[in-house]
Amino acid sequence: MASRPKAQPESSNPGPATARPRGRPPKAGAVTTGWVGLDFTHERALYGEGIAPVAGADEVGRGPLAGPVVAAAVVLDPTRVPQGLDDSKKLTRARREALYLEICATAEVAIALAPPARIDRDNIRQATLWALANAVRGLPCRPAFLLVDGNDPPRVDCEVEAIVGGDGLIASIAAASIVAKVVRDRLMAGVGAAFPAYGFERHMGYGTREHGAALKAHGPCLHHRRSFAPVREQQLGLFQAAGELEEAD
């Protein structure tokens, strides 16, 4: 069943990950690039070696100009793995929502958010690693092994394997990507309702033409990442315009 993430201390940066040949037993801190097949095979192999529980983790929202990074960690029940799991970006919204409900009903789930203020303070990479680590720590059970999407694993208190493209290959990571995507989209819809001038509920904070026009017309709001170049440059332009106006007065 779903679980709220618990507050945890910040984690330190992970060391460099190393590649491992396809097919060998998982190794802590490894990065895999060639695992084939989106199913529960990888996790089942770990369980077969007595390594349990196995969690998957992923994040959504590194690239947008506004809103948080949302990270999710999921421990799937080996007897009730939802059918049709895939990279959240490849699924329709309706399918994501249906799988999200099924995941939360059958698996252990935790989420963590890195808000714009943390992103601006720490940089996007550090904020993302922090959110991933805290999502894993928020799980009701302590994982013995973590499978995470990408090539930059967080530092957590268990063995970790980073898998490039893992959200389209590994069931647990795909489940985490779906949870993170649905949660972030719902959050941005709420932000859009509170700040209707920006259209957040449509572009989810990404740098679309609509978003750029709104940013130029209204300037950044409290949900914008002021360290990101388009927002920072717009702030400078607004400050210059204000200075010129005061000078003209």
Side-chain angles (χ1 to χ4, degrees):
M1 57 188 293
S3 174
R4 295 181 181 176
K6 297 179 286 187
Q8 298 290 339
E10 297 185 22
S11 58
S12 57
N13 299 336
T18 57
R20 71 172 179 87
R22 174 186 169 197
R24 292 186 181 176
K27 180 181 179 182
V31 172
T32 301
T33 58
W35 196 272
V36 178
L38 176 55
D39 55 28
F40 202 67
T41 303
H42 203 26
E43 296 92 329
R44 203 174 298 281
L46 290 166
Y47 282 119
E49 296 176 13
I51 301 171
V54 177
D58 199 6
E59 50 73 26
V60 173
R62 286 181 64 115
L65 306 179
V69 168
V70 176
V74 174
V75 176
L76 292 172
D77 182 341
T79 67
R80 294 190 293 174
V81 178
Q83 296 299 304
L85 293 172
D86 204 345
D87 176 357
S88 62
K89 299 184 292 296
K90 298 178 182 178
L91 300 171
T92 65
R93 180 175 181 178
R95 186 60 183 148
R96 283 197 303 267
E97 290 281 349
L99 282 168
Y100 170 82
L101 294 176
E102 187 175 357
I103 293 164
C104 290
T106 60
E108 294 185 338
V109 178
I111 61 169
L113 281 65
R118 177 174 288 276
I119 294 168
D120 290 339
R121 189 192 74 184
D122 296 346
N123 73 49
I124 186 62
R125 175 179 178 269
Q126 298 299 336
T128 298
L129 292 173
W130 178 87
L132 284 166
N134 276 274
V136 174
R137 292 192 186 101
L139 286 166
C141 62
R142 179 179 176 180
F145 203 100
L146 174 67
L147 302 166
V148 62
D149 184 49
N151 59 4
D152 194 11
R155 188 174 294 279
V156 291
D157 295 330
C158 67
E159 292 188 274
V160 182
E161 182 183 3
I163 301 173
V164 177
D167 51 359
L169 299 172
I170 305 298
S172 295
I173 301 177
S177 79
I178 291 166
V179 170
K181 173 66 173 170
V182 170
V183 168
R184 190 176 190 280
D185 283 357
R186 290 181 178 183
L187 285 171
M188 294 309 295
V191 172
F195 294 83
Y198 296 93
F200 289 125
E201 70 280 6
R202 291 185 292 277
H203 53 67
M204 304 302 168
Y206 285 88
T208 64
R209 182 175 298 180
E210 177 191 7
H211 192 182
L215 190 59
K216 184 175 181 181
H218 305 288
C221 72
L222 61 87
H223 294 282
H224 280 98
R225 302 173 183 180
R226 295 169 188 266
S227 59
F228 278 38
V231 181
R232 184 174 65 247
E233 292 167 4
Q234 185 59 38
Q235 284 183 280
L236 292 173
L238 289 171
F239 293 155
Q240 290 170 359
E244 292 169 359
L245 182 62
E246 291 174 359
E247 186 175 340
D249 289 340

